[in-house]
Amino acid sequence: MAVRAVRGAVQLERDEAAHMGEQVGALLTAVMERNGLTTDDLISIWFTATPDLHSDFPAAAARKLGSGFADVPLICAQELDIEGAMPRVVRLLAHVDSDRPRADIDHVYLGAAAALRKDIAQ
């Protein structure tokens, strides 16, 4: 096994806790499924949110996915406030144990967030 990093992002339609929960859940589910991961493979996850998101912590949304996330270290930070940046975006950087070569890791950018990293978005 090697430690790999998986990137991902999703743009929220609105700043509401329930909507954030749905979208962060969809992002995490896609990251896990596309990379053949279980919660036992997770080392830690960093979340960032753009400064216009105030309704909830992305990590709180992740914890609501189930007990498998209960002992995974999760942390949130605020994304840089860059003029012209895409609004209402939650990003993640997950550190995982994986047998996949780095080139085979599927980075997940859902919906409009795919425009953020056209070079690696699946």
Side-chain angles (χ1 to χ4, degrees):
M1 289 274 185
V3 175
R4 299 289 182 222
V6 185
R7 291 289 318 267
V10 64
Q11 184 183 38
L12 279 60
E13 295 174 18
R14 58 195 173 280
D15 184 20
E16 295 175 0
H19 181 60
M20 181 178 291
E22 293 166 4
Q23 295 301 304
V24 170
L27 178 60
L28 278 171
T29 299
V31 164
M32 303 292 281
E33 288 176 357
R34 292 185 194 182
N35 288 286
L37 300 169
T38 69
T39 53
D40 286 337
D41 299 320
L42 297 174
I43 297 168
S44 64
I45 303 175
W46 279 84
F47 292 96
T48 64
T50 51
D52 52 359
L53 293 175
H54 307 279
S55 62
D56 203 359
F57 295 99
R63 296 252 183 254
K64 292 174 187 170
L65 288 177
S67 62
F69 286 92
D71 62 351
V72 177
L74 307 175
I75 193 165
C76 299
Q78 188 175 75
E79 192 70 35
L80 295 173
D81 190 10
I82 304 298
E83 187 175 328
M86 184 180 287
R88 300 176 317 281
V89 175
V90 174
R91 293 172 173 86
L92 70 75
L93 174 63
H95 299 98
V96 303
D97 283 324
S98 177
D99 287 329
R100 289 182 180 215
R102 188 180 342 196
D104 292 345
I105 295 294
D106 286 333
H107 303 284
V108 180
Y109 289 78
L110 299 180
L116 295 170
R117 288 298 305 266
K118 293 177 183 177
D119 58 324
I120 62 173
Q122 301 297 317

